[in-house]
């Protein structure tokens, strides 16, 4: 349904587009070209998970070097060639580091892998659990620190670019700053969501979190319709551009929420699928 909509959108809104190339884009997904039709991040994520799965099959002592080598290839490719590859393979090399790191952290936290009690990882985990997580002040301090480091690294990185970093456009800036900024940003979000909000149960937020893929598929379609309607109303005349953007984004989220909620309720009511 998503690709059918996008293809119809291409036909209606882009009269000079090569429809055959757009159709092929559903299969090969080369972002930034006519061979693309939305949802470019999904094949990228799939390829990244395949790469990480292959790396996890080799001996543990060689996994981190393999990850660093793969990520380096991604940055070097962008620097030398600067062209997007099918299915986001170029970005998948870069993202391997983050997916692998996330997988290992989850394994360590869940104690799914044995840790040497004399090793630095085990000691760091114990210190973190005993000294940081048991102190609300320490947790707030870590959250503020992660956010501050993320902002600082981002500001330093984007200064020579004169624009923001953008994986879709193959703009990473300095590889080290990009990795540090992303890591600090991820840590900030994880701390806020898993620790800062662990006792806050808002059903609507939980629902969005459990259905992020559905929202991801819908939000561009819904936002384009909302923007078209706004061309008649012109909200920015009454409340400014920033407030208008926030309102349009909020309206889009609400509409997506209603659509996903209704579809899931219908699917469950008529037993169309076990888990949609």
């Amino acid at each position: 349904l998503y690709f059918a909509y996008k293809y119809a959108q291409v036909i209606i809104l882009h009269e000079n587009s090569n429809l055959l190339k757009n159709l092929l884009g559903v299969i090969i997904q080369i972002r930034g070209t006519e061979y693309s039709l939305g949802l470019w991040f999904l094949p990228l994520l799939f390829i990244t998970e395949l790469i990480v799965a292959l790396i996890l099959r080799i001996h543990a002592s060689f996994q981190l070097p393999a990850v660093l080598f793969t990520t380096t290839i991604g940055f070097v490719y962008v620097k030398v060639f600067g062209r997007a590859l099918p299915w986001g393979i170029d970005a998948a090399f870069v993202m391997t580091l983050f997916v692998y790191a996330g997988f290992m952290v989850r394994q360590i936290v869940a104690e799914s892998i044995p840790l040497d009690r004399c090793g630095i990882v085990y000691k760091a985990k114990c210190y973190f659990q005993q000294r940081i997580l048991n102190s609300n002040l320490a947790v707030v301090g870590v959250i503020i620190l992660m956010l501050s480091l993320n902002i600082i690294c981002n500001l330093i990185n984007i200064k020579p670019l004169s624009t923001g970093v953008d994986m879709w456009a193959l703009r990473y800036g300095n590889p080290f700053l990009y990795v540090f900024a992303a890591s600090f940003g991820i840590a900030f979000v994880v701390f806020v969501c898993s620790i800062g909000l662990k006792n806050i149960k808002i059903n609507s937020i939980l629902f969005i979190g459990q259905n992020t893929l559905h929202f991801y598929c819908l939000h561009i379609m819904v936002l384009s319709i909302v923007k078209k309607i706004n061309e008649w109303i012109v909200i920015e005349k009454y409340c400014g551009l920033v407030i208008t953007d926030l309102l349009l984004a909020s309206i889009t989220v609400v509409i997506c929420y209603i659509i996903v909620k209704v579809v899931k309720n219908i699917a469950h009511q008529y037993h169309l699928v076990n888990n949609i």
Side-chain angles (χ1 to χ4, degrees):
L1 180 60
Y2 174 84
F3 287 119
Y5 171 85
K6 292 297 292 184
Y7 199 61
Q9 191 178 51
V10 167
I11 295 174
I12 297 171
L13 301 180
H14 305 283
E15 297 178 358
N16 297 323
S17 293
N18 187 314
L19 300 182
L20 178 59
K21 290 182 178 180
N22 291 142
L23 183 60
L24 289 173
V26 176
I27 303 172
I28 62 176
Q29 286 289 332
I30 306 179
R31 65 192 190 282
T33 71
E34 290 182 287
Y35 295 101
S36 178
L37 205 64
L39 289 186
W40 64 275
F41 192 78
L42 292 185
L44 158 62
L45 181 59
F46 178 71
I47 297 295
T48 305
E49 292 186 345
L50 285 180
I51 295 173
V52 172
L54 291 174
I55 291 175
L56 290 173
R57 289 179 174 271
I58 66 178
H59 192 274
S61 59
F62 296 106
Q63 288 180 8
L64 182 57
V67 168
L68 295 176
F69 178 72
T70 303
T71 300
T72 301
I73 289 176
F75 282 122
V76 170
Y77 172 83
V78 170
K79 189 71 174 178
V80 175
F81 298 100
R83 294 176 64 90
L85 292 174
W87 309 301
I89 294 176
D90 55 286
F93 288 150
V94 174
M95 293 302 105
T96 296
L97 175 62
F98 300 104
V99 174
Y100 176 81
F103 174 80
M104 294 306 296
V105 169
R106 185 176 64 180
Q107 296 293 95
I108 292 171
V109 171
E111 298 182 349
S112 299
I113 55 177
L115 296 176
D116 180 5
R117 291 183 176 271
C118 296
I120 188 173
V121 175
Y122 180 80
K123 291 180 179 179
K125 178 184 175 182
C126 292
Y127 179 86
F128 184 79
Q129 290 176 332
Q130 296 170 6
R131 299 294 183 89
I132 304 297
L133 297 184
N134 290 330
S135 170
N136 291 332
L137 183 61
V139 169
V140 173
V142 171
I143 289 175
I144 294 174
L145 177 63
M146 293 298 103
L147 178 60
S148 300
L149 291 173
N150 169 262
I151 294 173
I152 291 170
C153 290
N154 270 316
L155 290 176
I156 297 173
N157 195 22
I158 67 176
K159 188 174 181 180
L161 293 175
S162 299
T163 182
V165 296
D166 188 344
M167 184 194 302
W168 184 88
L170 292 89
R171 288 198 305 266
Y172 298 106
N174 183 290
F176 295 102
L177 288 173
Y178 179 85
V179 170
F180 286 138
S183 300
F184 292 135
I186 292 169
F188 167 75
V189 173
V190 169
F191 264 93
V192 170
C193 293
S194 63
I195 300 174
L197 300 178
K198 65 179 179 180
N199 296 321
I200 300 176
K201 304 296 183 183
I202 303 177
N203 290 334
S204 57
I205 301 292
L206 292 173
F207 181 81
I208 293 173
Q210 294 164 354
N211 296 276
T212 51
L213 181 57
H214 301 310
F215 279 79
Y216 180 75
C217 292
L218 282 172
H219 80 280
I220 294 297
M221 293 186 288
V222 174
L223 182 59
S224 63
I225 296 172
V226 171
K227 285 184 174 180
K228 282 290 182 183
I229 295 174
N230 184 52
E231 289 179 3
W232 301 333
I233 304 174
V234 194
I235 300 176
E236 52 265 32
K237 290 193 305 184
Y238 308 101
C239 53
L241 187 59
V242 174
I243 300 299
T244 298
D245 288 341
L246 290 174
L247 281 174
L248 296 182
S250 301
I251 292 170
T252 299
V253 171
V254 171
I255 294 175
C256 288
Y257 183 94
I258 294 172
I259 293 173
V260 175
K261 192 74 171 178
V262 169
V263 171
K264 286 178 70 72
N265 287 340
I266 293 174
H268 290 151
Q269 182 178 353
Y270 293 97
H271 306 288
L272 299 178
V273 290
N274 292 327
N275 184 22
I276 186 171

